[in-house]
Amino acid sequence: MEEKISIKTLLPSEMEALLLSLGEPKYRAKQVFHWLHQGITDFSDMSDLPKALRQKLDDACFITRPRILRKQVSQRDGTVKYLFGLADGNSIETVVMRYEHGNSVCVSTQAGCKMGCVFCASFDPKKSRNLTSAEILDEVMFAQSDSGLHISNIVLMGTGEPLDNYDNVMRFLQLVSHPEGMNIGMRHISLSTCGLVPMIGRLMEEKLQLTLSVSLHAPNDALRSQLMPVNRRYPLDELIPACKTYFEQTGRRISFEYAMIGGVNDTPECARQLIRLLRGFPCHVNLIPLNHVEGSPLIPSTRDNLRNFQNELLKNGLNATVRRSLGGDIAASCGQLRRQYDQEVAQ
Ligand code: SAH
């Protein structure tokens, strides 16, 4: 038997082709697309389609639907964190964050990450796999429907390296921004990468209006290679020029993420090196107080170090902000809830 199609991965033109192949008129595609993007998980609920068509679709396709394995709600700021179970038994984390300007969802793009940044809880090369576009879309759809919080912004900053799952992520972006789907525009989407240089070049060619964030975390190669193994493959003298070209070609300012780690990358010398590295480049530096990961020797910078570092950047003309930390009372930084769950289940 042929494998069933994951129908939520289909773009409208592909949905039309599917319906034609089933001997149905093209216009049905719009109805099906609409139902799927409303969050329907059963073909029998597509009430304006003939029964015979619903059956044909059911025979040829399946609809993904994550299970909620865990849900945590922050008492402090209303952040909601989900651990979703996938059809193959793997699991992923999704977080809904509430801001004055609207609600944001932070989605994972891979189950377990292969990149191995030392400060991050998501590293899990054994259980790593790419998420399909439907699975990423489900994170947005089901986080919205379960939490009851209308989602207006998306950040691809959960577990996984989005540019390491390039095709599925591009497809997800097309699906989620589609006017007949969730209709979340590219200007409301941020994509974060650890710095896969060739893929930044490829993304540039797409000329998308999204915001590209680049995880920098260190101002020199020695330190960056220690913190982020990816730097050994794509060092700063390749990464920074790629970022500059990206900005020149797209007109979209890049946001550099810099997790502040006490005594490691938060010294006055590091600030000076960072200023030298980025001087004259129109960009944004987002300082993130390190989220402490259980068992890790790395600790967050003190409040004073954070402020001094930021002030030094500001004094030298770099646009630097400190990211507000949400969900501190729940395991809100990526990877932590999945880890906890896996440990409990293993016991
Ligand atoms: N793979 C992508 C996106 C996922 S992580 C990337 O590397 O950019 C989203 C951001 O959170 C990245 O900047 C990542 O470096 C950062 N991050 C991971 N663990 C963290 C921690 N414990 N504290 C603060 N930031 C962390």
Side-chain angles (χ1 to χ4, degrees):
M1 210 184 82
E2 273 182 47
E3 252 185 59
K4 285 193 175 192
I5 298 166
S6 174
I7 191 167
K8 233 183 286 175
T9 66
L10 299 184
L11 295 167
S13 59
E14 296 165 334
M15 193 74 80
E16 285 183 358
L18 171 74
L19 281 140
L20 288 175
S21 78
L22 296 174
E24 297 285 338
K26 245 178 22 181
Y27 72 88
R28 293 288 187 200
K30 224 178 182 162
Q31 286 170 290
V32 176
F33 189 87
H34 183 74
W35 280 119
L36 291 171
H37 289 249
Q38 294 271 308
I40 285 274
T41 54
D42 202 319
F43 291 106
S44 60
D45 292 334
M46 299 186 171
S47 53
D48 57 357
L49 299 187
K51 267 216 167 102
L53 171 54
R54 293 186 230 164
Q55 190 57 52
K56 274 193 216 174
L57 287 170
D58 203 12
D59 291 341
C61 309
F62 67 96
I63 307 176
T64 50
R65 169 223 297 254
R67 273 191 316 134
I68 299 177
L69 297 177
R70 286 282 157 88
K71 175 180 177 182
Q72 297 181 330
V73 182
S74 163
Q75 298 302 311
R76 269 186 230 163
D77 51 47
T79 300
V80 189
K81 178 150 194 172
Y82 293 98
L83 184 71
F84 285 127
L86 307 175
D88 66 348
N90 216 320
S91 59
I92 51 170
E93 291 175 41
T94 306
V95 187
V96 181
M97 295 162 296
R98 309 177 68 167
Y99 295 103
E100 303 219 320
H101 62 267
N103 302 315
S104 254
V105 66
C106 176
V107 297
S108 297
T109 53
Q110 296 177 317
C113 188
K114 293 188 292 205
M115 296 297 144
C117 302
V118 298
F119 46 79
C120 181
S122 294
F123 183 52
D124 191 357
K126 280 200 221 109
K127 274 176 59 192
S128 167
R129 77 160 169 88
N130 284 336
L131 299 183
T132 66
S133 54
E135 287 169 329
I136 307 173
L137 185 66
D138 283 344
E139 295 183 64
V140 185
M141 249 163 29
F142 290 94
Q144 172 168 278
S145 61
D146 181 81
S147 67
L149 299 168
H150 177 77
I151 304 287
S152 49
N153 296 279
I154 303 174
V155 296
L156 284 77
M157 294 187 183
T159 295
E161 168 50 44
L163 298 186
D164 187 39
N165 182 15
Y166 192 87
D167 293 339
N168 292 344
V169 165
M170 286 307 121
R171 184 173 278 270
F172 158 72
L173 293 174
Q174 280 178 276
L175 291 169
V176 81
S177 61
H178 199 281
E180 280 157 44
M182 296 197 78
N183 196 18
I184 300 179
M186 291 290 176
R187 283 180 180 270
H188 298 270
I189 301 178
S190 294
L191 183 153
S192 178
T193 178
C194 62
L196 300 180
V197 168
M199 291 298 156
I200 293 177
R202 205 168 148 197
L203 182 67
M204 179 177 81
E205 301 297 334
E206 318 266 355
K207 298 269 189 306
L208 301 177
Q209 293 293 298
L210 51 72
T211 300
L212 178 63
S213 295
V214 174
S215 298
L216 193 57
H217 303 318
N220 63 64
D221 277 325
L223 183 55
R224 193 161 189 271
S225 292
Q226 235 178 311
L227 297 174
M228 306 175 69
V230 69
N231 193 69
R232 294 172 211 155
R233 239 190 313 159
Y234 305 113
L236 290 170
D237 64 357
E238 292 181 30
L239 178 61
I240 300 298
C243 292
K244 290 185 173 164
T245 311
Y246 185 94
F247 170 67
E248 284 158 17
Q249 294 292 315
T250 62
R252 305 284 301 163
R253 272 183 199 227
I254 289 185
S255 182
F256 289 103
E257 291 156 284
Y258 196 101
M260 295 287 289
I261 312 174
V264 173
N265 64 357
D266 65 346
T267 60
E269 178 54 24
C270 282
R272 278 192 290 278
Q273 289 180 5
L274 188 58
I275 290 159
R276 232 176 290 138
L277 189 70
L278 297 180
R279 178 166 282 152
F281 179 37
C283 63
H284 177 230
V285 180
N286 204 205
L287 302 173
I288 313 168
L290 181 79
N291 248 308
H292 182 253
V293 173
E294 217 186 276
S296 165
L298 302 176
I299 48 162
S301 298
T302 60
R303 199 185 279 242
D304 276 353
N305 276 2
L306 194 69
R307 286 289 156 219
N308 291 340
F309 198 92
Q310 183 192 19
N311 286 337
E312 202 51 34
L313 301 188
L314 289 172
K315 265 200 311 214
N316 284 278
L318 283 184
N319 174 8
T321 51
V322 176
R323 182 182 293 171
R324 195 158 64 93
S325 190
L326 293 177
D329 56 334
I330 56 176
S333 83
C334 27
Q336 299 200 81
L337 184 57
R338 183 171 181 266
R339 239 194 218 188
Q340 274 176 14
Y341 182 82
D342 283 357
Q343 279 165 3
E344 285 168 29
V345 171
Q347 270 168 13

